[in-house]
Amino acid sequence: MEQATETIHAGPAAIRHVLLDALALPEWNEAFLDIDGPAEADLGTGYALRVRPGFAGELQYTVVEPDRIEITWQVPGFREVGTWTIAADSRVTHTFEQSGPLATVLRPAYRNIATIRLARLANRVRQLTHAA
């Protein structure tokens, strides 16, 4: 399991907005090339997903709570369960677990990815709050 924590200087609502904008996830998560499905996060709905280097799969929101969002995505040979925990003080903890034969091969490439994802999330939140 990989884990990182960062304080994102925006309110929890702004952070949740970015995490729950399913169709915009590829704008800040480099692994995702394209996501197709409902514009707003729909718990349990399967979103069509394309990831680098072009694998097709599915993404689902499996938990949507005020302080916790869980996203599961998979492509052939790879499955990830990622959790984003959002504290009232805007501290965000991201954890993820990966499984499958492809995950075993890619494990070295995913070191520090939780930290990188948090930095990209913070940047996306900043972009949206400054644009508003």
Side-chain angles (χ1 to χ4, degrees), residues 96-121:
F96 66 87
E97 288 191 69
Q98 298 169 334
S99 58
L102 187 56
T104 302
V105 172
L106 294 175
R107 189 159 287 125
Y110 275 88
R111 285 195 181 98
N112 297 319
I113 287 296
T115 301
I116 292 167
R117 287 180 182 167
L118 280 170
R120 290 182 181 146
L121 172 63

PDB file of all heavy atoms in Angstrom, residues 96-121:
ATOM      1  N   PHE A  96      -3.422   3.979  -1.762  1.00  0.00           N
ATOM      2  CA  PHE A  96      -3.907   3.084  -2.807  1.00  0.00           C
ATOM      3  C   PHE A  96      -3.228   1.734  -2.704  1.00  0.00           C
ATOM      4  O   PHE A  96      -2.112   1.615  -2.209  1.00  0.00           O
ATOM      5  CB  PHE A  96      -3.739   3.693  -4.207  1.00  0.00           C
ATOM      6  CG  PHE A  96      -2.330   3.888  -4.665  1.00  0.00           C
ATOM      7  CD1 PHE A  96      -1.635   2.861  -5.300  1.00  0.00           C
ATOM      8  CD2 PHE A  96      -1.690   5.097  -4.475  1.00  0.00           C
ATOM      9  CE1 PHE A  96      -0.332   3.056  -5.733  1.00  0.00           C
ATOM     10  CE2 PHE A  96      -0.391   5.302  -4.910  1.00  0.00           C
ATOM     11  CZ  PHE A  96       0.289   4.268  -5.545  1.00  0.00           C
ATOM     12  N   GLU A  97      -3.978   0.738  -3.165  1.00  0.00           N
ATOM     13  CA  GLU A  97      -3.471  -0.622  -3.261  1.00  0.00           C
ATOM     14  C   GLU A  97      -3.728  -1.114  -4.673  1.00  0.00           C
ATOM     15  O   GLU A  97      -4.798  -0.860  -5.228  1.00  0.00           O
ATOM     16  CB  GLU A  97      -4.160  -1.542  -2.262  1.00  0.00           C
ATOM     17  CG  GLU A  97      -3.742  -1.290  -0.831  1.00  0.00           C
ATOM     18  CD  GLU A  97      -4.225  -2.374   0.106  1.00  0.00           C
ATOM     19  OE1 GLU A  97      -3.714  -3.506  -0.007  1.00  0.00           O
ATOM     20  OE2 GLU A  97      -5.093  -2.066   0.928  1.00  0.00           O
ATOM     21  N   GLN A  98      -2.752  -1.805  -5.218  1.00  0.00           N
ATOM     22  CA  GLN A  98      -2.864  -2.332  -6.569  1.00  0.00           C
ATOM     23  C   GLN A  98      -2.699  -3.842  -6.539  1.00  0.00           C
ATOM     24  O   GLN A  98      -1.958  -4.369  -5.706  1.00  0.00           O
ATOM     25  CB  GLN A  98      -1.801  -1.707  -7.466  1.00  0.00           C
ATOM     26  CG  GLN A  98      -1.969  -0.208  -7.570  1.00  0.00           C
ATOM     27  CD  GLN A  98      -0.791   0.482  -8.225  1.00  0.00           C
ATOM     28  OE1 GLN A  98       0.322  -0.007  -8.193  1.00  0.00           O
ATOM     29  NE2 GLN A  98      -1.054   1.630  -8.811  1.00  0.00           N
ATOM     30  N   SER A  99      -3.379  -4.512  -7.454  1.00  0.00           N
ATOM     31  CA  SER A  99      -3.269  -5.960  -7.542  1.00  0.00           C
ATOM     32  C   SER A  99      -3.314  -6.384  -9.003  1.00  0.00           C
ATOM     33  O   SER A  99      -3.692  -5.603  -9.878  1.00  0.00           O
ATOM     34  CB  SER A  99      -4.399  -6.630  -6.745  1.00  0.00           C
ATOM     35  OG  SER A  99      -5.663  -6.213  -7.227  1.00  0.00           O
ATOM     36  N   GLY A 100      -2.917  -7.626  -9.229  1.00  0.00           N
ATOM     37  CA  GLY A 100      -2.910  -8.195 -10.571  1.00  0.00           C
ATOM     38  C   GLY A 100      -1.500  -8.328 -11.102  1.00  0.00           C
ATOM     39  O   GLY A 100      -0.562  -7.694 -10.599  1.00  0.00           O
ATOM     40  N   PRO A 101      -1.327  -9.155 -12.128  1.00  0.00           N
ATOM     41  CA  PRO A 101       0.012  -9.392 -12.668  1.00  0.00           C
ATOM     42  C   PRO A 101       0.676  -8.136 -13.227  1.00  0.00           C
ATOM     43  O   PRO A 101       1.888  -7.951 -13.075  1.00  0.00           O
ATOM     44  CB  PRO A 101      -0.202 -10.450 -13.754  1.00  0.00           C
ATOM     45  CG  PRO A 101      -1.666 -10.587 -13.944  1.00  0.00           C
ATOM     46  CD  PRO A 101      -2.349  -9.972 -12.776  1.00  0.00           C
ATOM     47  N   LEU A 102      -0.093  -7.275 -13.862  1.00  0.00           N
ATOM     48  CA  LEU A 102       0.485  -6.034 -14.389  1.00  0.00           C
ATOM     49  C   LEU A 102       0.924  -5.116 -13.251  1.00  0.00           C
ATOM     50  O   LEU A 102       1.953  -4.441 -13.346  1.00  0.00           O
ATOM     51  CB  LEU A 102      -0.517  -5.325 -15.306  1.00  0.00           C
ATOM     52  CG  LEU A 102      -0.032  -4.105 -16.058  1.00  0.00           C
ATOM     53  CD1 LEU A 102       1.200  -4.424 -16.909  1.00  0.00           C
ATOM     54  CD2 LEU A 102      -1.149  -3.546 -16.944  1.00  0.00           C
ATOM     55  N   ALA A 103       0.182  -5.115 -12.158  1.00  0.00           N
ATOM     56  CA  ALA A 103       0.559  -4.305 -10.992  1.00  0.00           C
ATOM     57  C   ALA A 103       1.907  -4.757 -10.439  1.00  0.00           C
ATOM     58  O   ALA A 103       2.728  -3.929 -10.033  1.00  0.00           O
ATOM     59  CB  ALA A 103      -0.513  -4.404  -9.913  1.00  0.00           C
ATOM     60  N   THR A 104       2.145  -6.051 -10.437  1.00  0.00           N
ATOM     61  CA  THR A 104       3.422  -6.578  -9.953  1.00  0.00           C
ATOM     62  C   THR A 104       4.574  -6.057 -10.810  1.00  0.00           C
ATOM     63  O   THR A 104       5.607  -5.630 -10.288  1.00  0.00           O
ATOM     64  CB  THR A 104       3.403  -8.121  -9.970  1.00  0.00           C
ATOM     65  OG1 THR A 104       2.319  -8.562  -9.144  1.00  0.00           O
ATOM     66  CG2 THR A 104       4.703  -8.698  -9.441  1.00  0.00           C
ATOM     67  N   VAL A 105       4.395  -6.054 -12.107  1.00  0.00           N
ATOM     68  CA  VAL A 105       5.428  -5.573 -13.026  1.00  0.00           C
ATOM     69  C   VAL A 105       5.646  -4.070 -12.868  1.00  0.00           C
ATOM     70  O   VAL A 105       6.779  -3.587 -12.904  1.00  0.00           O
ATOM     71  CB  VAL A 105       5.050  -5.909 -14.493  1.00  0.00           C
ATOM     72  CG1 VAL A 105       5.991  -5.247 -15.479  1.00  0.00           C
ATOM     73  CG2 VAL A 105       5.012  -7.414 -14.698  1.00  0.00           C
ATOM     74  N   LEU A 106       4.566  -3.319 -12.673  1.00  0.00           N
ATOM     75  CA  LEU A 106       4.640  -1.855 -12.609  1.00  0.00           C
ATOM     76  C   LEU A 106       4.959  -1.307 -11.225  1.00  0.00           C
ATOM     77  O   LEU A 106       5.174  -0.103 -11.076  1.00  0.00           O
ATOM     78  CB  LEU A 106       3.318  -1.243 -13.093  1.00  0.00           C
ATOM     79  CG  LEU A 106       2.981  -1.463 -14.562  1.00  0.00           C
ATOM     80  CD1 LEU A 106       1.596  -0.923 -14.865  1.00  0.00           C
ATOM     81  CD2 LEU A 106       4.028  -0.812 -15.450  1.00  0.00           C
ATOM     82  N   ARG A 107       4.998  -2.150 -10.209  1.00  0.00           N
ATOM     83  CA  ARG A 107       5.184  -1.688  -8.827  1.00  0.00           C
ATOM     84  C   ARG A 107       6.329  -0.686  -8.664  1.00  0.00           C
ATOM     85  O   ARG A 107       6.157   0.352  -8.030  1.00  0.00           O
ATOM     86  CB  ARG A 107       5.351  -2.879  -7.888  1.00  0.00           C
ATOM     87  CG  ARG A 107       5.319  -2.443  -6.420  1.00  0.00           C
ATOM     88  CD  ARG A 107       4.963  -3.585  -5.496  1.00  0.00           C
ATOM     89  NE  ARG A 107       3.528  -3.890  -5.642  1.00  0.00           N
ATOM     90  CZ  ARG A 107       3.035  -5.088  -5.949  1.00  0.00           C
ATOM     91  NH1 ARG A 107       3.830  -6.103  -6.123  1.00  0.00           N
ATOM     92  NH2 ARG A 107       1.732  -5.262  -6.061  1.00  0.00           N
ATOM     93  N   PRO A 108       7.523  -0.928  -9.243  1.00  0.00           N
ATOM     94  CA  PRO A 108       8.604   0.057  -9.071  1.00  0.00           C
ATOM     95  C   PRO A 108       8.253   1.443  -9.636  1.00  0.00           C
ATOM     96  O   PRO A 108       8.677   2.456  -9.098  1.00  0.00           O
ATOM     97  CB  PRO A 108       9.781  -0.555  -9.825  1.00  0.00           C
ATOM     98  CG  PRO A 108       9.493  -2.026  -9.867  1.00  0.00           C
ATOM     99  CD  PRO A 108       7.989  -2.126  -9.932  1.00  0.00           C
ATOM    100  N   ALA A 109       7.462   1.490 -10.692  1.00  0.00           N
ATOM    101  CA  ALA A 109       7.089   2.770 -11.305  1.00  0.00           C
ATOM    102  C   ALA A 109       6.092   3.541 -10.454  1.00  0.00           C
ATOM    103  O   ALA A 109       5.923   4.746 -10.649  1.00  0.00           O
ATOM    104  CB  ALA A 109       6.507   2.532 -12.697  1.00  0.00           C
ATOM    105  N   TYR A 110       5.442   2.878  -9.512  1.00  0.00           N
ATOM    106  CA  TYR A 110       4.422   3.533  -8.696  1.00  0.00           C
ATOM    107  C   TYR A 110       4.942   4.012  -7.346  1.00  0.00           C
ATOM    108  O   TYR A 110       4.179   4.526  -6.537  1.00  0.00           O
ATOM    109  CB  TYR A 110       3.207   2.608  -8.506  1.00  0.00           C
ATOM    110  CG  TYR A 110       2.245   2.706  -9.655  1.00  0.00           C
ATOM    111  CD1 TYR A 110       2.385   1.914 -10.788  1.00  0.00           C
ATOM    112  CD2 TYR A 110       1.213   3.628  -9.629  1.00  0.00           C
ATOM    113  CE1 TYR A 110       1.509   2.028 -11.852  1.00  0.00           C
ATOM    114  CE2 TYR A 110       0.326   3.755 -10.682  1.00  0.00           C
ATOM    115  CZ  TYR A 110       0.484   2.948 -11.795  1.00  0.00           C
ATOM    116  OH  TYR A 110      -0.381   3.066 -12.848  1.00  0.00           O
ATOM    117  N   ARG A 111       6.235   3.906  -7.106  1.00  0.00           N
ATOM    118  CA  ARG A 111       6.783   4.442  -5.851  1.00  0.00           C
ATOM    119  C   ARG A 111       6.624   5.966  -5.862  1.00  0.00           C
ATOM    120  O   ARG A 111       6.861   6.613  -6.879  1.00  0.00           O
ATOM    121  CB  ARG A 111       8.255   4.066  -5.710  1.00  0.00           C
ATOM    122  CG  ARG A 111       8.423   2.627  -5.342  1.00  0.00           C
ATOM    123  CD  ARG A 111       9.815   2.310  -4.840  1.00  0.00           C
ATOM    124  NE  ARG A 111       9.903   0.901  -4.538  1.00  0.00           N
ATOM    125  CZ  ARG A 111      10.423  -0.014  -5.358  1.00  0.00           C
ATOM    126  NH1 ARG A 111      10.938   0.347  -6.510  1.00  0.00           N
ATOM    127  NH2 ARG A 111      10.447  -1.274  -5.017  1.00  0.00           N
ATOM    128  N   ASN A 112       6.205   6.520  -4.759  1.00  0.00           N
ATOM    129  CA  ASN A 112       5.986   7.964  -4.570  1.00  0.00           C
ATOM    130  C   ASN A 112       4.821   8.520  -5.388  1.00  0.00           C
ATOM    131  O   ASN A 112       4.642   9.732  -5.442  1.00  0.00           O
ATOM    132  CB  ASN A 112       7.261   8.764  -4.863  1.00  0.00           C
ATOM    133  CG  ASN A 112       8.361   8.406  -3.903  1.00  0.00           C
ATOM    134  OD1 ASN A 112       8.124   8.227  -2.712  1.00  0.00           O
ATOM    135  ND2 ASN A 112       9.567   8.282  -4.417  1.00  0.00           N
ATOM    136  N   ILE A 113       4.044   7.670  -6.017  1.00  0.00           N
ATOM    137  CA  ILE A 113       2.924   8.164  -6.827  1.00  0.00           C
ATOM    138  C   ILE A 113       1.855   8.827  -5.958  1.00  0.00           C
ATOM    139  O   ILE A 113       1.224   9.793  -6.386  1.00  0.00           O
ATOM    140  CB  ILE A 113       2.338   7.040  -7.705  1.00  0.00           C
ATOM    141  CG1 ILE A 113       3.301   6.719  -8.847  1.00  0.00           C
ATOM    142  CG2 ILE A 113       0.965   7.406  -8.254  1.00  0.00           C
ATOM    143  CD1 ILE A 113       3.532   7.854  -9.843  1.00  0.00           C
ATOM    144  N   ALA A 114       1.654   8.357  -4.735  1.00  0.00           N
ATOM    145  CA  ALA A 114       0.658   9.002  -3.867  1.00  0.00           C
ATOM    146  C   ALA A 114       1.035  10.459  -3.632  1.00  0.00           C
ATOM    147  O   ALA A 114       0.184  11.353  -3.688  1.00  0.00           O
ATOM    148  CB  ALA A 114       0.527   8.247  -2.543  1.00  0.00           C
ATOM    149  N   THR A 115       2.322  10.727  -3.413  1.00  0.00           N
ATOM    150  CA  THR A 115       2.802  12.101  -3.220  1.00  0.00           C
ATOM    151  C   THR A 115       2.615  12.917  -4.484  1.00  0.00           C
ATOM    152  O   THR A 115       2.164  14.073  -4.437  1.00  0.00           O
ATOM    153  CB  THR A 115       4.288  12.081  -2.809  1.00  0.00           C
ATOM    154  OG1 THR A 115       4.409  11.335  -1.592  1.00  0.00           O
ATOM    155  CG2 THR A 115       4.826  13.486  -2.611  1.00  0.00           C
ATOM    156  N   ILE A 116       2.928  12.326  -5.631  1.00  0.00           N
ATOM    157  CA  ILE A 116       2.787  13.028  -6.916  1.00  0.00           C
ATOM    158  C   ILE A 116       1.319  13.329  -7.196  1.00  0.00           C
ATOM    159  O   ILE A 116       0.970  14.432  -7.625  1.00  0.00           O
ATOM    160  CB  ILE A 116       3.430  12.196  -8.042  1.00  0.00           C
ATOM    161  CG1 ILE A 116       4.954  12.165  -7.846  1.00  0.00           C
ATOM    162  CG2 ILE A 116       3.051  12.740  -9.415  1.00  0.00           C
ATOM    163  CD1 ILE A 116       5.672  11.143  -8.703  1.00  0.00           C
ATOM    164  N   ARG A 117       0.445  12.369  -6.945  1.00  0.00           N
ATOM    165  CA  ARG A 117      -0.991  12.605  -7.170  1.00  0.00           C
ATOM    166  C   ARG A 117      -1.515  13.729  -6.287  1.00  0.00           C
ATOM    167  O   ARG A 117      -2.314  14.553  -6.734  1.00  0.00           O
ATOM    168  CB  ARG A 117      -1.782  11.328  -6.916  1.00  0.00           C
ATOM    169  CG  ARG A 117      -1.611  10.289  -8.000  1.00  0.00           C
ATOM    170  CD  ARG A 117      -2.421   9.070  -7.677  1.00  0.00           C
ATOM    171  NE  ARG A 117      -2.250   8.025  -8.662  1.00  0.00           N
ATOM    172  CZ  ARG A 117      -2.647   6.778  -8.489  1.00  0.00           C
ATOM    173  NH1 ARG A 117      -3.263   6.429  -7.368  1.00  0.00           N
ATOM    174  NH2 ARG A 117      -2.447   5.879  -9.434  1.00  0.00           N
ATOM    175  N   LEU A 118      -1.078  13.767  -5.028  1.00  0.00           N
ATOM    176  CA  LEU A 118      -1.517  14.845  -4.137  1.00  0.00           C
ATOM    177  C   LEU A 118      -1.042  16.203  -4.641  1.00  0.00           C
ATOM    178  O   LEU A 118      -1.796  17.181  -4.585  1.00  0.00           O
ATOM    179  CB  LEU A 118      -1.017  14.598  -2.717  1.00  0.00           C
ATOM    180  CG  LEU A 118      -1.817  13.595  -1.907  1.00  0.00           C
ATOM    181  CD1 LEU A 118      -1.092  13.249  -0.620  1.00  0.00           C
ATOM    182  CD2 LEU A 118      -3.212  14.121  -1.612  1.00  0.00           C
ATOM    183  N   ALA A 119       0.179  16.269  -5.143  1.00  0.00           N
ATOM    184  CA  ALA A 119       0.693  17.536  -5.686  1.00  0.00           C
ATOM    185  C   ALA A 119      -0.125  17.960  -6.900  1.00  0.00           C
ATOM    186  O   ALA A 119      -0.456  19.148  -7.057  1.00  0.00           O
ATOM    187  CB  ALA A 119       2.169  17.401  -6.047  1.00  0.00           C
ATOM    188  N   ARG A 120      -0.477  17.018  -7.749  1.00  0.00           N
ATOM    189  CA  ARG A 120      -1.286  17.341  -8.941  1.00  0.00           C
ATOM    190  C   ARG A 120      -2.706  17.744  -8.549  1.00  0.00           C
ATOM    191  O   ARG A 120      -3.286  18.654  -9.147  1.00  0.00           O
ATOM    192  CB  ARG A 120      -1.307  16.154  -9.888  1.00  0.00           C
ATOM    193  CG  ARG A 120       0.038  15.922 -10.548  1.00  0.00           C
ATOM    194  CD  ARG A 120      -0.034  14.775 -11.515  1.00  0.00           C
ATOM    195  NE  ARG A 120       1.266  14.555 -12.124  1.00  0.00           N
ATOM    196  CZ  ARG A 120       1.727  13.374 -12.467  1.00  0.00           C
ATOM    197  NH1 ARG A 120       0.987  12.300 -12.283  1.00  0.00           N
ATOM    198  NH2 ARG A 120       2.915  13.255 -13.011  1.00  0.00           N
ATOM    199  N   LEU A 121      -3.263  17.062  -7.538  1.00  0.00           N
ATOM    200  CA  LEU A 121      -4.580  17.442  -7.036  1.00  0.00           C
ATOM    201  C   LEU A 121      -4.539  18.864  -6.485  1.00  0.00           C
ATOM    202  O   LEU A 121      -5.407  19.686  -6.795  1.00  0.00           O
ATOM    203  CB  LEU A 121      -5.035  16.465  -5.954  1.00  0.00           C
ATOM    204  CG  LEU A 121      -6.312  16.835  -5.195  1.00  0.00           C
ATOM    205  CD1 LEU A 121      -7.521  16.871  -6.123  1.00  0.00           C
ATOM    206  CD2 LEU A 121      -6.539  15.864  -4.036  1.00  0.00           C
TER     207      LEU A 121
END
